[in-house]
Every structure is written in structure tokens, then in C-alpha cells.
Amino acid sequence: MHVVITGASRGVGAALKAAYEAEGHKVTGTSRTGGDGLVALDVSDAGSIRAMADALGDAPVDLLVCNAGVYLDKGHALDDGYPAEMWAEQLAVNVTGPFLCVQALLPNLRAAGGKVAIISSQMGSSTLATGNALIYRASKAAALNLGMNLAAALKEDGVAVGIYHPGWVQTDMGGASAAITPEESAGGLIERFAVLTPETTGCFETWNGRAHAI
């Protein structure tokens, strides 16, 4: 199996890469700067995405994990925070980036009858709105919506798309007091990806297999 993972230099992405490699799968992991066995990919740059796809050529991709993401507005206040440029940057990485990666790798996914996993967050659920982290929440809600629409658009091609909450993970983004380790999150996510099928395409699930409210 050939797995492509964006944002694989640390956290959940790195744990996913290590787990798949330990199982003997071919993994193309990416990071913004590359190096250490990773392909350089800036998901906010369409040219960088195109270059990554060109480098893969016609190699089939069994699973694309759109994991790269940023959380720039933590702690911002409504009265004076959330600048326009932060909206543009965060949406470019968290929403446009996954779309462009899927678009660029469509021939590879179709060739394999592959799957797409979009890492969203429970913070993108409208039922859990709390009035903070407005940009991040909006971007993850958009990523959820994007995944559901891609699922509909690609169903006839046999390419299943799932959207996932990775849990509250002990990463730079989640913090040291978070509930689970990257390895625990990755292990659960891998189980979810394995059972994703055209029949379950468009699902929004947690890392440990619960259906999540939209």
C-alpha cells in the first residue's frame, strides 16, 4: 500500500508515518521544509503541491491523509484579535490545501481505487460551538464540509473520503495536558482508515470509532 501523509514531520502525522512504515507500507510523508526522509510540501502553495504531484508521477496512491494544519488564533480576543491576514493563512492551509492535494493526486487515487482521509476536528462541529478560536473552528468546519462534498463528487470513481477528529492529542497544538499521545491517536485513526469504504464515504468519526455530530 502507498500512503501519502501531509504534515508528517511531527505529532499525529509523524506517528502515522512511523506506524505505516512499521507495517511495511510505502509512505510518502511531507513537511513544509522537507528533509529527514520527507518531501518538501507547502500546502498553502499551489505550485508546491503541483511539484509534489509531478514528482509522484503516475504512482498509484492507496491512501491520502490530509493532516497538515495550523492553529494560529489560539487565545485571540473577539474585540481586537483575528486579523484578516490570519484568516487568509489559516484557511489556505486547513481548507484550500487539502482540496488542492486531492485535486492534484486524483489520477493517482483513481488508479488505486484509493481513499482520502481529511483530518478535521471536533472544533469544526457546529453543535460544539463555544465562541473561541473562531478562525480555527471555521477552517475545520470548512474542512468537514469539503470532505463531505468530495465524498459525493468522488463516489462514482470508487474513491472513498472520510473526515476525522484525531482526539485531543499531546502535540504542540494540543498541549502537554491533552488526553492521548500521538501514537494512540494514530493507532485509532489507522483502524478507521482501514474500514473506510465507498459505502461509508462521507463519514465524520472520532479517532476511536465514534460517529461525530456535525
Side-chain angles (χ1 to χ4, degrees), residues 12 22 30 44 48-49 74 84 94 102 120 142 188 194 199 208:
V12 175
T30 80
S44 68
S48 179
I49 292 171
K74 184 182 292 187
N94 293 356
V102 172
S120 179
E199 287 70 39
N208 54 355

Side-chain angles (χ1 to χ4, degrees), residues 18 50 121 136 160 169:
R50 186 69 261 164
S121 169
Y136 185 76
V169 190

